Amino acid sequence: MLETAHIVSGPTGFAEKPLPALHAERFAPGLAPRSWIIRQSVARRSHLLVIETRRGTATMRGTTVAIQSPGLLWLPGDHEGTFEVEAGAQGYLISVSDDVLTRTVAGSAEALHLRRTIDRLVLREGTQLATTFAAITESCSTLVRELNTPGRGSATMTSTHVLLLCLHIWRSVISEEAPDDAAQRGDGPRLVGNFLQMVELHYRDGWPIARYAAALGVTDDKLHAHCKREKGYSPRAIVHQRLIHEACMRLRQLDLPVEQIGYGLGFRDPGYFNRFFRKYQNASPGAYRRRARLDPSQHGPSYAAWP
């Protein structure tokens, strides 16, 4: 008999309550196959299936993909489908919300590269994971343990191992890419990629665009031209979108005064933070927070939406 569970992102007919922002479970060898139905609702979630023994499959949009052990499948937040593992299989299933990924990845120096990886479906097997699989299963095991038996520093421990999983998946993907692939695409994509990475590091520091350009070794005009060509936005708009995304996330999730949230994002003048936020969201920070808490479906800009 097939044992089936439902992994959902919000209230549906398949679960009594939504999953927490981070969910980790280990499945041990059993006498029957197991399956999980992945359904998205309001909150985006990504899923990681890790298979240590035997085989599994993933069915998405009418296509079935086989997964051999040792293997993993990363399913980004805009996908639905079904995971199934055969009798005797063991491994892990990790489910993580978009907001947790945002907070975890954004502070990393490799944020741009990690985001490009976790926004797409990734299937890795066998020799593709030769140097990373043990570390991946160790991080999965740590997540299960910390979530089931929290201890001091559990929040930091879990976020660290989510980041490590993203890094290991990224490394397994780039291990087969030619070193000069980026160079073959020309200076534009590489320059904009470096700029986005610098934005992740300094968007709260109030850097003027001229300082970004100087750090990248180009003129303001060149940076502006390449950002418009590659992303459709000016450098200033990209920085502002990143600030607005972070402000929306903190207003939804943190019970801090609006002034303190603004200060944490580099706004020393509460009035200026209010005007800046209103310009992009058509509401004051306080009004946005009240509206978001009354209606959780109003999530504001998605992490995947900014350039």
Side-chain angles (χ1 to χ4, degrees):
M1 179 178 181
L2 181 66
E3 181 182 347
T4 303
H6 296 83
I7 304 297
V8 297
S9 298
T12 74
F14 294 102
E16 294 180 358
K17 60 182 179 179
L19 286 175
L22 175 62
H23 170 81
E25 64 178 270
R26 174 167 175 77
F27 52 91
L31 297 177
R34 296 188 60 178
S35 72
W36 297 264
I37 298 174
I38 310 299
R39 295 188 184 277
Q40 300 292 336
S41 62
V42 173
R44 287 166 44 100
R45 302 183 71 91
S46 297
H47 300 83
L48 173 65
L49 177 66
V50 177
I51 300 182
E52 296 176 286
T53 60
R54 308 301 292 264
R55 294 181 297 274
T57 60
T59 303
M60 301 153 292
R61 300 171 183 172
T63 299
T64 298
V65 178
I67 311 167
Q68 303 289 332
S69 63
L72 66 80
L73 178 71
W74 174 268
L75 194 68
D78 57 351
H79 283 58
E80 295 187 342
T82 302
F83 291 157
E84 183 173 337
V85 296
E86 64 183 17
Q90 70 178 21
Y92 297 90
L93 179 66
I94 310 296
S95 174
V96 55
S97 72
D98 187 57
D99 282 345
V100 169
L101 282 177
T102 298
R103 294 196 308 271
T104 302
V105 170
S108 166
E110 294 80 14
L112 171 68
H113 307 293
L114 295 180
R115 180 188 158 205
R116 286 175 173 169
T117 301
I118 64 180
D119 280 348
R120 69 184 193 184
L121 187 146
V122 178
L123 173 64
R124 313 302 284 168
E125 297 173 322
T127 57
Q128 297 171 325
L129 296 170
T131 61
T132 60
F133 193 71
I136 287 171
T137 56
E138 177 60 30
S139 286
C140 290
S141 176
T142 301
L143 288 175
V144 172
R145 183 174 62 252
E146 291 294 329
L147 291 174
N148 289 337
T149 312
R152 292 182 177 179
S154 279
T156 302
M157 184 70 75
T158 55
S159 64
T160 298
H161 281 277
V162 169
L163 178 59
L164 285 171
L165 286 173
C166 294
L167 284 165
H168 288 309
I169 294 170
W170 169 58
R171 280 185 170 185
S172 73
V173 169
I174 65 170
S175 64
E176 296 180 352
E177 293 181 355
D180 59 350
D181 276 354
Q184 292 176 0
R185 296 197 301 270
D187 290 339
R190 186 169 63 248
L191 172 62
V192 174
N194 290 337
F195 170 64
L196 291 176
Q197 195 165 346
M198 291 189 70
V199 170
E200 284 296 325
L201 296 174
H202 299 292
Y203 69 91
R204 292 165 291 188
D205 298 335
W207 276 24
I209 299 304
R211 186 169 179 180
Y212 283 105
L216 292 166
V218 297
T219 64
D220 295 17
D221 289 343
K222 182 174 182 179
L223 179 60
H224 184 277
H226 281 299
C227 284
K228 290 288 287 185
R229 182 178 302 115
E230 297 294 331
K231 297 296 179 182
Y233 297 97
S234 69
R236 185 180 305 279
I238 289 173
V239 175
H240 286 182
Q241 288 174 21
R242 186 65 185 91
L243 276 166
I244 286 296
H245 168 81
E246 189 70 18
C248 289
M249 186 186 71
R250 294 187 183 194
L251 287 165
R252 293 196 308 270
Q253 296 183 349
L254 303 179
D255 290 323
L256 297 174
V258 168
E259 294 80 4
Q260 190 171 343
I261 288 178
Y263 190 85
L265 294 174
F267 293 88
R268 299 297 179 260
D269 179 359
Y272 179 62
F273 176 55
N274 192 302
R275 293 190 297 273
F276 175 84
F277 190 89
R278 187 186 294 273
K279 175 181 177 181
Y280 289 93
Q281 291 296 114
N282 296 316
S284 69
Y288 171 85
R289 170 182 273 171
R290 290 190 295 273
R291 183 180 66 197
R293 291 184 175 180
L294 287 172
D295 183 2
S297 66
Q298 302 298 313
H299 267 232
S302 164
Y303 181 52
W306 86 282

